[in-house]
Structure formats: C-alpha cells, structure tokens
Amino acid sequence: MQTAADAGDAATLLAAVPAGRRVALVDPRFVGHVHALRLGLTDPRFAAATVPGALTAQPEARGALLRALRHTTAAVGAGAPVVAPDTDPAPDDRTVPGRIAVALEAEGTAVKRPELGSLTATVPTDAGARATAESARDEVDDEAVRLRSAVKAHDGFFTTFGISPYSRYIARWCARLGLTPNQVTTASLITALVAAGAAATGTRGGYVAAGLLLLVSFVLDCTDGQLARYSLQYSTMGAWLDATFDRAKEYAYYAGLAIGAVRGGDDVWVLALGAMILQACRHVVDFSFNEANHDAVANTSPTAALSDKLDSVGWTVWARRMIVLPIGERWAMIAVLTALTTPRIVFYALLIGCALAACYTTAGRLLRSLTRRASRTDRAAQALADLADSGPLAQGVATVAPGLRGAFTAPAVALLGTVVMIGGALFLPYGSWLTVAAAAVYVVLSGLAVARPLKGALDWLVPPFFRAAEYVTILVLAARSDAPHAVPAAFGLISAVAYHHYDTVYRIRGGTGAPPQWLVRTIGGHEGRTALVAVLAAVLTHAAGFTTALTALAVAVALVVLVESIRFWVSSSAPAVHDEGELA
C-alpha cells in the first residue's frame, strides 16, 4: 500500500506497478465496511470494479485505468484536491476513483458496481458527514452481512432451511483454515464416490452409510459455493469443477445403487439409466428455454406475469421450488429412500418425481412461449444450434436442403424424427435393418430441423427432442439386446455424451461459445452416434460384441471430450462462471 499526495502522484505510483498485477485506488477519507471494500476490490471476475471512494483494475484494464487517471489529472490539475466541485452529476463520482470509473465507462471499459445493500461505503466531505457515516457503519455487522450473502439468493426449500443455516458457518471455518472452494468441491466428489461404493455393497448397512454420506456430500456441495461467495474466490477451474461434479456425483451414485441391487438379485440398470436420461432431458429443456429467451426483445407474456404475481405470495414460492424437485430435495429423497428402502423403490420415486417436475416446468415454458410476443436474436439462434449438437450428417442435409418455413416447423420436424427413431428402436424387430432405416430417416429430419435459424417461438424444443431421441434409443437398444451387460455399457456411453452436452451449456453460459466444431464432428453429433448404435445393434445381434462396441464407443467419446474440455477449462480463455440461480 502506498499513499499518493494528489492525483498526479497517484498516476506516477500506479504506472510503476508491474503490469501483471491488480491495482486499486482508494480515497484516504473512505468510511465504510471492510466487506464493502472486499466486494469492490477483490472479486476476480471483473476487469474493473468500483464502490464509492474506491476503484480496482485487473491487468487487462490497467492501460485504460492509467489513461482515465491522466485525463482526470489534466481536468482537475495534478495537485488538485481529490474532491471535485459540487456541480458534478452524482455524489459518488466526485472523488478521483468515482471520476475515473466514469471515464473508464466512457472509454468502453465495463466497470462493475456491486450491490452493497446495508453496507456503508462513502467519502464524507466534512466532519458532520463523517460522523453520520461512521454511525451507519457501526450499526451494521458486516460479518453477519457477509455470512448472509454467502448463501445463494434463490435456492430450494431443503437447501435454504435444512442446509444453509449451518453450512455457511462451515464455509467460514474453511475460509479461516485457508481452504479453497476447489478443495471443498473435490471433498464433496470424493464423499459421493464413497457413498456410491457403499451403495454398491448391496447390504442394508451399506445403504444406510450411502444415504448418510450422500447428505454429507450435499452439505459440502453447498459449502463450496458459499465459501466462494464468502471469500470471493471465483476461478475458471472452480467453475468447471462445480459445473460438472454434480452430474458426476449423481451418475456415480445411480451406478452404485444399480450394482448393489444386482448383488441383491434385482437388476435395475434400466431404471437407473432411465432416471439419468430423464434428469438430463429436464435440464436441457431449462437450458434451451433460457438461452432462447434471455436476450429476447419484447420478452413478456401473461403467463410470466402470473408467475411473478405468484412469487409475491410467500408459500407459493416455496411450493413451486419444491415441485421442480431441485437438487436439494432430490438428494434428500434419494438419501432417505436408500437408507430405508431398496434401489428399485429409489429409482421408481426418482422417475415419478422427475416426470411430474418435467411436466410442470415444460408446460409452463410452453405457455410462456405461445403467449409471448418476442423476437429472438441471432445469438439465441446460434446458442440453440450449438445445443442441438448436430454432426456432419445433419449438417450435410441442412446444407443441401432448403429451410422449411413455418412458425412451428423446426420443433415439429424434430419431434417427428424423435418419434420415428424411438418408435423404430422399440417396436421393430431387434437387430432389424429397418431400425437402421429409421435412423437414416432421423438423420434427414434432424438436418431439416436445423436448416433454418432457430428463431421460432417453440424452437427451443429442438435440442430436448434430439437429446431424448439419442439417449432413449441407446437405452432401448441396449435393453432389448441379449448381450450381457449391454445396459451398463450404455450407461457409460450416455454418461460420456451427457458430459459433452453439459460442457456445451456451461461454455455458452460463460459467453465463450460452444466447443469447437472439430470436436462435434469427431464424436459424430447426436444423429451420427444414434445411427452408429443402430448399425451396431443390427450387425452384432445377439452377440457379446454389442457390449464391447458400446464400451469402446463410450471410452472413445469420453477421452476426446474430457481432454478437450480440460484443456479449455484450465486455459486463460475459460469463463469464471458463477452460478447463482440454477436449482436443479
């Protein structure tokens, strides 16, 4: 920390700081809470940020900061006082940090202004104002505010009332021990894997231990995000770990339950894979709808207005959050049923609960889309095209085929292709080349569905239809096969593909776009993988080779996807995604 005598001296001192470091400029008369300064000066997600009386700049904004400071110095004079005349437009902009923040924004550099709520941050100009500011500061316990703000603003009922009241204190304890959110995230994953191993024993004691460990894993899962918010430790690696480990934990636990059930004489692999598929399809409905509408123009509807009205009634908020079976409620249900019942009952409950939740959320989204007069942007259309995960076969069809016109054409064509593919896998003789013909029809219809930009009111349904077609087809063909262990192999394949789809979602949400096209082409796209599995089922009918082929395909997809994903998320271009609103 160095003290500058005036604005000119501040410019000289800042210019001498090594280019790779973050810098901050704080008015010496600042009065406020330490956590207000922490919010304004230490959050790593923003190139520049400010609170009244203080400003920070990351290395990428250092040049703009120095230019703005020099312009300010030229305007007020190198030796001028740090408080500007009272004619300035806003009181918060009368200090040198405030003036620089305005200059940075005028130059095109985004400056984050965090919400301070009850926290105090000000630069008093006389003794009376200082006394008032100090009194306001002393009346508010900033540590209590810091603990409250560590909890996610919108969360499920079980998480809000059953976990967060004490997990926030675990987060503070972790911060005082010097633990990082990534370490807590890893501990949560390890605990969930141990829980899956306990469930795989197939014994009552193992199931009880698995249920308890799953709850511990969820507590740690809440703690890592609260620790990140408490200590403002956001990172690209943390974003990747948080975005993927929840799915890895859930899928591993499903597999553990299925293995344990088999040891007890009850094969529930089909139910386990069905639960995983239903959960993944629920998520892609949410992701697609949000991407299609988050920057839409005239984005209003009577359904949305009714939803906002219901949110003003306290009990309806919690009821609606519980209906969607978010991760807290879902994991609590899984843990309790694992300890008290059997894996089959666990999966029945999951399938019924997730199906009801999917019907509720999808119906609401359909009503909003049909009653909303909105214009989708090119960015939204591109996001939906990326979520569709079309490979070279579908893209080839889209290139040579004219785009089909009509407001609801794309989802109708995608739905028709899905019905043809799943229907063929279900009802045609297993191993028949007619199933391969159905896959060929699915490829053509998939290409036609994405031949035009996805800007229609219901075009967000296209990616969910494609996910259902691919995942359910693989499940059905594996379940109908006489090859031993075909369904567990299909579980591995769908897990690898689902990882790729979740990875795509979080890249788009981070603003960096979808994975590179070479990756999508290499793993075939949704239609290529679906057609390949149909061909394998026809060629390797009633042979153990089908299981081997599914396993090899799963390993190949997993290796390609994971290597490229890890390369991206540890690179400097990865976004510091920070999830504040995802309940599921």
Side-chain angles (χ1 to χ4, degrees):
M1 182 186 303
Q2 298 187 64
T3 302
D6 50 44
D9 189 26
T12 302
L13 291 174
L14 287 176
V17 177
R21 294 183 183 176
R22 173 202 286 267
V23 295
L25 189 64
V26 182
D27 193 294
R29 297 161 302 167
F30 174 87
V31 173
H33 291 98
V34 173
H35 192 53
L37 278 179
R38 188 181 292 113
L39 288 171
L41 303 182
T42 66
D43 195 322
R45 295 172 295 169
F46 310 109
T50 186
V51 294
L55 173 76
T56 186
Q58 297 269 39
E60 59 268 29
R62 287 276 305 277
L65 170 63
L66 283 174
R67 288 192 297 273
L69 182 55
R70 290 181 180 124
H71 291 160
T72 301
T73 302
V76 303
V82 292
V83 179
D86 290 339
T87 54
D88 274 14
D92 290 343
D93 296 337
R94 293 174 185 170
T95 64
V96 168
R99 281 175 164 270
I100 295 172
V102 172
L104 283 172
E105 290 174 319
E107 187 178 309
T109 300
V111 179
K112 175 66 177 179
R113 287 177 166 82
E115 294 290 337
L116 299 181
S118 59
L119 296 175
T120 297
T122 186
V123 178
T125 56
D126 55 50
R130 171 171 286 276
T132 301
E134 289 174 345
S135 176
R137 179 195 62 194
D138 295 340
E139 288 176 359
V140 176
D141 183 352
D142 74 335
E143 178 62 18
V145 173
R146 188 182 182 189
L147 273 174
R148 286 198 303 270
S149 62
V151 178
K152 187 182 291 187
H154 303 287
D155 227 328
F157 181 88
F158 176 73
T159 304
T160 299
F161 296 103
I163 303 296
S164 293
Y166 58 88
S167 62
R168 69 183 74 182
Y169 295 102
I170 299 176
R172 181 171 66 180
W173 177 72
C174 291
R176 291 174 177 175
L177 288 179
L179 298 177
T180 67
N182 293 352
Q183 291 170 330
V184 178
T185 302
T186 303
S188 175
L189 174 65
I190 293 171
T191 305
L193 294 179
V194 174
T201 63
T203 64
R204 177 51 52 194
Y207 290 149
V208 172
L212 292 173
L213 287 169
L214 190 63
L215 288 177
V216 172
S217 174
F218 182 64
V219 171
L220 293 173
D221 184 56
C222 295
T223 300
D224 64 359
Q226 291 167 357
L227 175 58
R229 286 182 284 272
Y230 180 85
S231 57
L232 299 178
Q233 296 183 73
Y234 307 119
S235 66
T236 55
M237 179 62 73
W240 176 62
L241 294 178
D242 189 56
T244 57
F245 275 15
D246 278 351
R247 303 287 82 79
K249 289 182 286 190
E250 196 161 6
Y251 297 169
Y253 193 80
Y254 290 178
L257 280 177
I259 293 171
V262 170
R263 288 188 171 182
D266 187 15
D267 190 341
V268 296
W269 272 107
V270 170
L271 296 177
L273 185 49
M276 186 176 84
I277 290 172
L278 182 54
Q279 187 61 25
C281 289
R282 277 187 63 200
H283 281 152
V284 77
V285 167
D286 294 340
F287 296 145
S288 295
F289 178 81
N290 291 335
E291 287 301 325
N293 292 286
H294 93 285
D295 58 355
V297 179
N299 199 9
T300 60
S301 76
T303 308
L306 175 61
S307 178
D308 293 339
K309 186 176 181 180
L310 288 175
D311 280 342
S312 65
V313 183
W315 69 269
T316 64
V317 174
W318 297 115
R320 294 169 69 209
R321 290 186 188 178
M322 293 173 69
I323 288 173
V324 301
L325 202 63
I327 189 169
E329 277 74 358
R330 190 167 69 250
W331 281 29
M333 180 184 73
I334 293 171
V336 171
L337 291 179
T338 298
L340 301 179
T341 64
T342 66
R344 180 172 289 273
I345 293 177
V346 173
F347 288 124
Y348 280 153
L350 268 173
L351 288 167
I352 293 170
C354 289
L356 292 175
C359 290
Y360 170 77
T361 55
T362 304
R365 283 157 172 68
L366 285 171
L367 286 173
R368 289 190 183 206
S369 299
L370 292 173
T371 58
R372 173 179 284 155
R373 293 192 177 97
S375 300
R376 272 73 185 185
T377 63
D378 291 338
R379 179 208 169 279
Q382 183 59 53
L384 291 180
D386 292 333
L387 289 173
D389 191 35
S390 300
L393 297 178
Q395 289 177 355
V397 172
T399 300
V400 301
L404 299 175
R405 297 183 179 276
F408 308 115
T409 301
V413 171
L415 176 60
L416 178 61
T418 299
V419 171
V420 168
M421 188 65 257
I422 296 177
L426 271 173
F427 301 114
L428 292 173
Y430 180 79
S432 169
W433 284 94
L434 290 175
T435 306
V436 178
V441 173
Y442 174 66
V443 168
V444 173
L445 292 175
S446 298
L448 293 176
V450 296
R452 292 178 62 85
L454 297 176
K455 292 187 176 182
L458 296 179
D459 284 0
W460 56 269
L461 286 169
V462 171
F465 285 147
F466 289 163
R467 292 299 83 74
E470 179 180 6
Y471 295 170
V472 176
T473 297
I474 295 173
L475 168 60
V476 170
L477 293 178
R480 295 186 66 191
S481 170
D482 290 336
H485 310 302
V487 178
F491 190 99
L493 174 58
I494 294 177
S495 296
V497 174
Y499 175 88
H500 163 61
H501 290 143
Y502 280 105
D503 186 51
T504 300
V505 165
Y506 279 93
R507 293 197 199 199
I508 293 173
R509 291 172 75 175
T512 57
Q517 273 298 303
W518 69 261
L519 175 67
V520 178
R521 289 193 297 268
T522 300
I523 60 176
H526 71 92
E527 81 290 349
R529 291 185 298 270
T530 304
L532 177 58
V533 172
V535 170
L536 292 174
V539 172
L540 303 172
T541 306
H542 308 304
F546 186 52
T547 299
T548 303
L550 287 179
T551 303
L553 182 57
V555 171
V557 171
L559 283 176
V560 174
V561 168
L562 281 172
V563 168
E564 204 287 325
S565 177
I566 292 171
R567 178 211 62 78
F568 170 79
W569 285 101
V570 301
S571 70
S572 59
S573 60
V577 178
H578 180 53
D579 181 12
E580 286 286 1
E582 185 62 53
L583 295 180

